[in-house]
Amino acid sequence: MKLKIAVLPGDGIGPEISRVGVNVMKAVAERFGHDFEFEYGLAGAAAIRTVGDPFPEETLRLCKDSDAVLFSAVGDPAYDNNPDAKVRPEQGLLAMRKQLGLFANIRPIQTFPGLEDKSPLKEEIVKGADFVCVRELTGGMYFGEKFESDDKAYDTNMYTRPEIERILRVAFQLASRRRRHLTVVDKANVLASSRLWRKVAQEMEKEWPDVTTDYMFVDNASMKLIQDPRFFDVIVTENTFGDILTDEASVISGSMGLLPSSSIGESTPVFEPIHGSWPQAAGLDIANPLAQVLSVAMLLEHFGLAEEGKAVRDAVDASIRQKVVTPDLGKGGKSDYGTEAVGRWLTAWICSAAV
């Protein structure tokens, strides 16, 4: 298969983990006989410093002209610590989602054998947890009408029926391919927008009789994630709730450096780790590249390359099993391997198909 991949390394540790992701894709191409072409673009603070725009038009064109986007991370303390900054790296991420019509963010959450002790929760609670969060990505407060002054501010949480239907359809389809259990998370006892979500979901669940659908207020869902994460199979929710719940869920695995995501919709799909740019670690060769690598697995599987995706996942499992990991996953926060060394080990494993 021939694929053109837009690579957006971004900021902080982004360029380091991006190199590992690209090299893993090259190893897959070598082993399975594919032709993957890579072209690089600017995003985030790197783009602001170069052209003054966190998601320049040239990067948008590159993304639209590509089959997929392999994205890493954006964010920079120079902007985080300046409340008066009018242009921020994160605006580039929001612009990419909006301009590519990426309305569905899919985040798999799972525990990895041998790493259960890394979770802040007890092993008997997290062991075997395996669920997917489906977050609506282009609506709600992040994109609604806004106002801000010294004395008053508001963000409008608006949704339309078509926006809700399309994200619910993604969630129902995903649940039907997994354990056939969908949890719709809202705040229908308080919010009008949530009541519309629940109304539409109750109408649509009749189209999916093989899927058990239940409903949960977001505050209850946040507790259930900690008390019994194995309860969940697929969770679907709106943008703001999804942002918070997926970050909460990410700690179940013990490290945000283990969790990938995909964003799909009307145009080119984007595959990225869920973590941020961690600028304090940039250049120190300690960033965990596994979430980026697992994003590559999701990318390959999106195009029907199941065997290739499995090879990447097997390589990650083998690296964890053989303790070829970065310090965040090492015993006592220490490891003999840095970002580049883990990347080299993964690519060698994939090329040799070692066990």
Side-chain angles (χ1 to χ4, degrees):
M1 178 179 287
K2 184 172 184 177
L3 293 174
K4 179 180 178 180
I5 309 299
V7 182
L8 307 183
D11 308 319
I13 62 171
E16 297 168 68
I17 62 171
S18 178
R19 282 193 294 272
V20 175
V22 169
N23 287 337
V24 164
M25 284 204 72
K26 289 178 178 178
V28 169
E30 179 181 336
R31 174 174 164 183
F32 292 92
H34 297 302
D35 181 6
F36 299 150
E37 175 189 348
F38 302 95
E39 188 169 341
Y40 289 77
L42 291 169
I48 295 174
R49 294 190 181 103
T50 304
V51 297
D53 186 340
F55 190 63
E57 187 66 30
E58 184 177 349
T59 300
L60 174 61
R61 285 197 299 270
L62 169 62
C63 292
K64 287 187 172 182
D65 290 341
S66 301
D67 296 299
V69 177
L70 186 63
F71 178 78
S72 296
V74 294
D76 190 290
Y79 303 90
D80 296 340
N81 298 326
N82 180 8
D84 295 322
K86 301 303 181 185
V87 181
R88 299 178 180 276
E90 293 78 9
Q91 291 171 346
L93 184 57
L94 296 178
M96 178 172 66
R97 292 169 178 171
K98 194 71 173 180
Q99 293 179 43
L100 294 178
L102 304 174
F103 63 84
N105 180 238
I106 300 171
R107 291 191 178 187
I109 308 290
Q110 67 179 102
T111 53
F112 292 79
L115 292 180
E116 290 90 353
D117 64 325
K118 293 296 180 182
S119 175
L121 302 180
K122 295 178 180 178
E123 182 174 342
E124 58 265 30
I125 293 176
V126 300
K127 191 172 184 178
D130 178 7
F131 60 95
V132 178
C133 296
V134 180
R135 169 190 169 192
E136 200 288 322
L137 207 55
T138 57
M141 284 194 292
Y142 291 3
F143 293 95
E145 182 182 347
K146 300 178 184 298
F147 174 81
E148 183 176 0
S149 71
D150 289 338
D151 302 305
K152 180 181 178 180
Y154 62 78
D155 302 277
T156 307
N157 194 47
M158 187 183 77
Y159 274 102
T160 64
R161 174 178 285 269
E163 288 177 314
I164 299 169
E165 287 177 341
R166 66 184 183 179
I167 189 67
L168 285 172
R169 192 167 293 111
V170 170
F172 274 113
Q173 289 171 346
L174 182 58
S176 70
R177 298 194 299 267
R178 285 176 52 89
R179 300 192 301 273
R180 298 183 174 88
H181 176 203
L182 177 64
T183 302
V184 181
V185 174
D186 60 32
K187 192 63 175 171
N189 59 335
V190 176
L191 300 177
S193 57
S194 281
R195 287 192 285 275
L196 180 60
W197 269 78
R198 185 166 294 207
K199 179 181 179 179
V200 174
Q202 288 174 339
E203 293 171 359
M204 290 183 66
E205 70 173 280
K206 299 169 186 175
E207 304 173 25
W208 305 87
D210 62 326
V211 175
T212 299
T213 307
D214 52 38
Y215 299 83
M216 197 174 290
F217 295 148
V218 63
D219 41 359
N220 186 24
S222 67
M223 291 188 291
K224 191 73 170 178
L225 279 172
I226 300 303
Q227 294 171 331
D228 185 15
R230 287 176 293 192
F231 168 83
F232 296 104
D233 178 24
V234 177
I235 298 171
V236 62
T237 191
E238 59 97 58
N239 203 344
T240 305
F241 295 160
D243 191 5
I244 296 167
L245 288 178
T246 51
D247 277 5
E248 179 191 10
S250 70
V251 304
I252 290 170
S253 296
S255 172
M256 293 182 76
L258 288 167
L259 300 177
S261 75
S262 65
S263 298
I264 61 174
E266 301 166 1
S267 186
T268 312
V270 174
F271 301 86
E272 60 181 299
I274 74 163
H275 58 69
S277 62
W278 196 16
Q280 299 84 356
L284 299 182
D285 194 39
I286 60 173
N288 187 345
L290 295 185
Q292 181 83 86
V293 171
L294 289 169
S295 299
V296 168
M298 293 185 75
L299 185 159
L300 296 168
E301 291 158 355
H302 178 83
F303 290 98
L305 302 177
E307 185 179 358
E308 291 85 339
K310 184 178 184 301
V312 174
R313 295 184 186 278
D314 287 348
V316 169
D317 289 343
S319 74
I320 293 172
R321 189 169 58 248
Q322 298 187 33
K323 303 189 183 329
V324 183
V325 293
T326 44
D328 61 310
L329 300 182
K331 188 174 182 178
K334 297 180 181 179
S335 173
D336 293 331
Y337 296 89
T339 310
E340 291 188 11
V342 171
R344 287 194 299 269
W345 193 95
L346 291 168
T347 55
W349 194 100
I350 291 169
C351 289
S352 65
V355 177

